[in-house]
Amino acid sequence: MIVAGVDVGSLYTKTAILEVNDSARQPKIVGQYVSRSGALYKAAACRAFEQALAMHGLNRDDVAHVVSTGYGRYQVSFSDSHISEISAHARGAKFLFPDILTLIDIGGQDSRAIRIDDFGGVADFAMNDKCAAGTGRFLEVMAQGLEVELGQLGELSLRSTRDVQISSVCTVFAESEVISLLSEGCDRVDIISGIHRAIADRMMGMARRIGIKERVAMSGGVAKNIGMVRALERRLGTQMLVAHEPQTIGALGAALTASRRVQKAAREEAGV
Amino acid sequence: MLSLGTVTPEELAKARQRVQANTPAAVVRMGKLVDSYWAELRRAPAEGKKVAWHVAGPGTIFTVAAGMPTLLHAAYAPYCTARRWEEAPLQLANEDIGFLPDTCSYIRVQMALLEAWETGQIERLRSELRIPKPELVTCGRHCTEHSTLAEMAARRVGCPVVVLDFSSQGCVTEADFRQRARYCERQMREELVPAIERVSGRPYDYAKLSEMVSYLKQTALLRDEVLELMKNRPSPCGMFDLGISVGALIAEMGRPETVEYYREFYEECRDRVAKGIGVIPKEKYRIYWDGYSTWSVLGTVMRALSPRGGIPIMGRYLWGFYPHPEELDPDDPFYSIAYSMIRHTATKIFPQTAKDTVMELINDYQINGLIMLSFLTCRMWNVGQPEIAEMAERRFGIPSLIVPADVVDRTHFNEAQFNMRVEAFLEMIDARGKTF
């Protein structure tokens, strides 16, 4: 049986397809797919889903259940049910790393610290306010201000030799601060490192609020940024687990939810 | 004389649709009572009556008893907001006066009204919002913003101001509270009453005050009966229904119409309990709501919660308004109101002392989660919230969600983020197996 999860985020739409086999203990990941969300979430979700299915020679009728998540979850016309991305990320991360109890998730629009129970449920969570500070969007704006490719930020930050303090985490003011530091002759790599530290400090506030319990994993597109991972690890004082494809963990969690819901429905139907 | 009016079936259906809940019909009538309260204020100059403004504290009763229609600041901002008319006053406050957007939004809206009158811009406000300027300002200071607003408003129009010190700080024993209540009583008798007599130009009507306290007591006793009924599952009404009805205890207080209102409200709830009818079809999550009624996003909040089986049932906000009416004494109105304020209101709603009240409410009302509004513009409420959340977790094993919002200013709220948080929060309650 095939199930799927679609995570429609503010910047990217992610799809995960799972194969659930009664004889296998764990569902098997068939494929994961990431594409830009753009302005039209509904169309982006359809496009991403169809492309993901096509890559694996599947069509919509092959999929028993689709769960949508993310900010655009209600825009996914073909989904059978939905789940909040906080629960989806918790479930997806627990599937990949069964011994984690804390998840740091930094996406395009939100940053969150999630405490996870033994069964992959959300025990507690804290997230950013109505502000882009400390999110993927914040890093995008900083990269533009520094004229650096977004994907280069992490590697560059690791070359830093001097601590530069970025006092503001407001996206607008931090950009001004970065420009001011550049004009003062600060090295770009030191500024980039300072940006990562500022985000890590902010994330620590959230993580402390829910109580950090090891082990800790990281999800979301920002987890691809090695500089951000290292900055957070230094602040947390522990090594984090990062998936090969951290951006699709929400979609994976949604697909796992789809699998559970199908199995539950089957059990109910069988009167078990 | 206020009027309760009648509600048409269309009005009732529209109100229920807006919040996707089975709102009691009586509560929808509250809007009519509110309208008549503001109409009474607008008519006052034409009827030769002097208008008072009251900023927090014991309520409008003392000046209304003296024949002065009285604006309650804590009712004006909700009135603007609930009717979606707050944009013009907020714009006046922010752009013309220059208030920062994190200034108390009740103050901003209230000062905008004065600014509009004083600068000839009253046409910028809807006719319903053009409440006359005060000839007397009274204030029962609960926070520094209250007394600042009272003094600012009085200075702006050049009228007298009476700021009553209704603080319970430092009171520990029953004797402390009684002594402090005597001090408050003296302030009312020695400062408030003479000021009212000077402005109204006639001797204070003590008999009228006693009569009004009697109505207030009857109203609050009926309200307590409704609160008792809300312990049932499913609850016959929600916390916001009580929030909407709070005006009858503090703005429109002490009138026979408020007794009629609460009697109807109580009887409707009693009937619902007998028939097992809830305010939402399938009550799954009984939420403790920490903070004011969010007038700016009331419908949004309800639409996020009620289809999922969530209903805000109780909150300390409701306990700020004569929580022990049995102590009100029409024969001793000044002292009994002062004692009620000092002994109960302050200790039940303010964060430093509210924790025990909140724990009792969680237990009594079978709460399975707390949603706490963190107000950018009213920090007094926010203090103590993390501690309350921690206590609820430790004692009852139930989670809390802290959400940024504002009672008036919609720019402090993000609907998509709120919906997502609420959904995750309810899933978290499910994961803990705490649902009904």
Side-chain angles (χ1 to χ4, degrees):
Chain A
M1 176 182 68
I2 299 290
V3 293
V6 181
D7 176 3
V8 186
S10 61
L11 296 180
Y12 292 93
T13 295
K14 290 79 68 176
T15 306
I17 300 170
L18 294 184
E19 185 181 347
V20 185
N21 189 332
D22 286 343
S23 58
R25 225 166 56 86
Q26 291 278 49
K28 181 184 154 204
I29 299 173
V30 174
Q32 299 175 89
Y33 186 75
V34 180
S35 66
R36 271 269 175 191
S37 291
L40 303 169
Y41 285 177
K42 204 171 183 173
C46 286
R47 199 172 52 243
F49 187 55
E50 279 163 16
Q51 284 170 344
L53 291 176
M55 280 171 71
H56 301 284
L58 297 165
N59 59 56
R60 177 65 181 91
D61 294 339
D62 297 323
V63 185
H65 196 104
V66 180
V67 169
S68 59
T69 188
Y71 271 100
R73 62 192 177 282
Y74 294 108
Q75 305 286 322
V76 183
S77 54
F78 53 85
S79 76
D80 299 293
S81 62
H82 47 77
I83 185 175
S84 78
E85 56 261 51
I86 293 174
S87 296
H89 275 267
R91 191 160 288 163
K94 192 76 177 177
F95 175 79
L96 295 174
F97 307 113
D99 55 348
I100 61 159
L101 291 171
T102 307
L103 178 68
I104 305 291
D105 170 46
I106 309 184
Q109 187 170 294
D110 284 325
S111 48
R112 297 174 273 246
I114 305 168
R115 196 147 50 73
I116 303 173
D117 66 22
D118 293 336
F119 311 100
V122 175
D124 204 352
F125 70 91
M127 62 180 286
N128 62 315
D129 297 334
K130 202 188 81 174
C131 170
T135 66
R137 178 68 80 185
F138 176 82
L139 282 170
E140 268 194 4
V141 173
M142 294 305 115
Q144 280 164 18
L146 288 160
E147 295 180 341
V148 171
E149 286 293 320
L150 181 65
Q152 291 181 310
L153 279 179
E155 290 292 345
L156 287 171
S157 79
L158 299 180
R159 294 185 209 160
S160 168
T161 54
R162 191 169 75 91
D163 281 353
V164 171
Q165 194 75 27
I166 305 291
S167 56
S168 179
V169 281
C170 164
T171 309
V172 177
F173 289 129
E175 191 179 13
S176 315
E177 201 174 338
V178 162
I179 291 164
S180 165
L181 286 166
L182 282 172
S183 67
E184 285 168 19
C186 273
D187 194 322
R188 237 171 18 168
V189 295
D190 295 329
I191 297 172
I192 293 169
S193 172
I195 290 167
H196 287 84
R197 274 203 314 279
I199 297 176
D201 288 347
R202 192 177 167 84
M203 276 311 305
M204 273 305 287
M206 281 184 230
R208 282 219 181 96
R209 216 181 304 159
I210 59 155
I212 304 159
K213 287 192 179 175
E214 293 195 42
R215 298 197 72 188
V216 183
M218 185 174 178
S219 67
V222 176
K224 288 178 167 180
N225 175 328
I226 186 67
M228 196 64 247
V229 174
R230 294 288 171 263
L232 274 164
E233 285 178 339
R234 271 195 297 275
R235 288 291 276 116
L236 287 162
T238 187
Q239 202 176 357
M240 290 193 301
L241 296 162
V242 181
H244 174 66
E245 186 44 271
Q247 212 169 354
T248 57
I249 285 179
L252 176 62
L256 288 162
T257 306
S259 157
R260 283 190 187 193
R261 287 177 182 169
V262 170
Q263 287 170 332
K264 189 182 172 200
R267 279 198 306 274
E268 282 170 0
E269 205 176 306
V272 182
Chain B
M1 182 79 181
L2 301 180
S3 161
L4 263 171
T6 51
V7 173
T8 64
E10 292 75 28
E11 285 173 319
L12 181 60
K14 196 176 164 192
R16 286 177 173 169
Q17 173 62 30
R18 195 172 78 88
V19 295
Q20 291 184 20
N22 185 21
T23 307
V27 174
V28 182
R29 279 185 90 188
M30 188 68 198
K32 309 281 181 178
L33 188 70
V34 167
D35 283 340
S36 77
Y37 163 74
W38 295 108
E40 180 185 78
L41 272 153
R42 288 191 301 269
R43 282 196 312 268
E47 293 174 349
K49 291 177 182 166
K50 293 184 173 176
V51 166
W53 283 17
H54 178 65
V55 182
T60 57
I61 201 164
F62 298 104
T63 38
V64 172
M68 299 177 70
T70 304
L71 169 149
L72 177 73
H73 96 295
Y76 185 69
Y79 178 55
C80 295
T81 313
R83 300 288 162 88
R84 304 187 81 89
W85 298 334
E86 82 286 358
E87 199 177 325
L90 280 178
Q91 205 171 39
L92 254 161
N94 296 353
E95 294 169 12
D96 291 51
I97 306 177
F99 277 120
L100 293 173
D102 57 353
T103 305
C104 167
S105 34
Y106 279 19
I107 288 189
R108 280 188 285 155
V109 168
Q110 204 60 67
M111 288 306 289
L113 174 59
L114 276 190
E115 176 77 8
W117 279 120
E118 294 288 303
T119 58
Q121 298 186 75
I122 198 65
E123 298 292 325
R124 281 177 66 179
L125 303 184
R126 288 179 65 98
S127 59
E128 293 91 337
L129 301 183
R130 296 173 200 165
I131 308 303
K133 290 187 282 186
E135 295 190 57
L136 172 67
V137 179
T138 65
C139 173
R141 179 162 61 104
H142 283 323
C143 67
T144 49
E145 272 94 341
H146 285 150
S147 53
T148 306
L149 169 61
E151 285 163 359
M152 259 196 314
R155 199 165 51 236
R156 189 81 204 261
V157 297
C159 77
V161 56
V162 180
V163 177
L164 303 166
D165 183 12
F166 268 58
S167 164
S168 59
Q169 270 191 333
C171 292
V172 178
T173 65
E174 184 58 25
D176 294 337
F177 284 108
R178 292 198 175 278
Q179 190 184 17
R180 190 67 62 84
R182 288 286 171 213
Y183 164 65
C184 297
E185 181 194 7
R186 283 202 307 278
Q187 291 179 72
M188 289 191 275
R189 288 187 185 278
E190 294 168 16
E191 292 182 42
L192 180 64
V193 169
I196 293 171
E197 287 178 330
R198 276 195 299 277
V199 175
S200 67
R202 53 176 184 251
Y204 194 72
D205 191 342
Y206 291 96
K208 181 71 181 172
L209 178 65
S210 290
E211 182 194 320
M212 291 184 75
V213 172
S214 173
Y215 286 131
L216 171 62
K217 182 170 181 159
Q218 291 173 60
T219 308
L221 283 167
L222 284 164
R223 182 275 321 265
D224 279 8
E225 294 292 328
V226 176
L227 292 176
E228 197 58 31
L229 290 172
M230 290 168 79
K231 290 178 182 170
N232 286 284
R233 278 190 4 226
S235 176
C237 62
M239 185 206 148
F240 294 146
D241 297 321
L242 269 294
I244 288 165
S245 310
V246 148
L249 291 161
I250 191 150
E252 301 92 25
M253 67 198 294
R255 320 281 191 109
E257 298 82 6
T258 62
V259 181
E260 186 191 336
Y261 170 77
Y262 264 104
R263 180 163 294 123
E264 190 183 311
F265 186 10
Y266 163 66
E267 284 170 0
E268 191 175 354
C269 288
R270 191 186 54 190
D271 189 47
R272 284 183 172 198
V273 169
K275 292 174 180 162
I277 298 170
V279 66
I280 56 170
K282 195 169 178 245
E283 185 184 283
K284 194 175 171 195
Y285 311 96
R286 291 170 66 91
I287 305 294
Y288 168 88
W289 184 266
D290 199 71
Y292 304 95
S293 290
T294 42
W295 307 111
S296 55
V297 288
L298 211 59
T300 308
V301 167
M302 280 300 293
R303 286 192 296 275
L305 284 167
S306 54
R308 298 181 172 102
I311 178 76
I313 296 282
M314 192 39 66
R316 63 181 148 126
Y317 171 69
L318 297 180
W319 290 82
F321 312 98
Y322 300 103
H324 290 272
E326 65 278 6
E327 285 170 352
L328 292 172
D329 182 357
D331 295 327
D332 192 2
F334 293 105
Y335 176 77
S336 66
I337 285 184
Y339 178 77
S340 179
M341 295 293 296
I342 298 294
R343 183 67 184 94
H344 300 299
T345 300
T347 54
K348 284 194 179 342
I349 63 167
F350 293 149
Q352 63 270 30
T353 45
K355 291 186 283 288
D356 292 337
T357 308
V358 177
M359 295 308 123
E360 280 170 26
L361 295 175
I362 290 171
N363 189 54
D364 293 350
Y365 287 87
Q366 303 173 69
I367 298 295
N368 48 7
L370 291 80
I371 297 183
M372 305 178 123
L373 291 188
S374 173
F375 295 108
L376 183 64
T377 73
C378 182
R379 293 161 193 87
M380 186 183 79
W381 270 97
N382 310 347
V383 177
Q385 283 182 331
E387 210 176 330
I388 289 171
E390 193 270 330
M391 273 178 95
E393 174 80 54
R394 191 159 31 85
R395 282 203 200 169
F396 301 102
I398 57 173
S400 299
L401 173 70
I402 297 183
V403 185
D406 190 64
V407 272
V408 176
D409 197 336
R410 289 170 219 272
T411 62
H412 293 312
F413 184 80
N414 181 313
E415 187 174 343
Q417 223 183 34
F418 177 78
N419 286 339
M420 195 268 289
R421 282 176 202 236
V422 163
E423 205 167 320
F425 177 65
L426 299 181
E427 287 164 359
M428 189 158 78
I429 298 175
D430 285 338
R432 291 183 184 202
K434 293 280 183 184
T435 43
F436 296 114

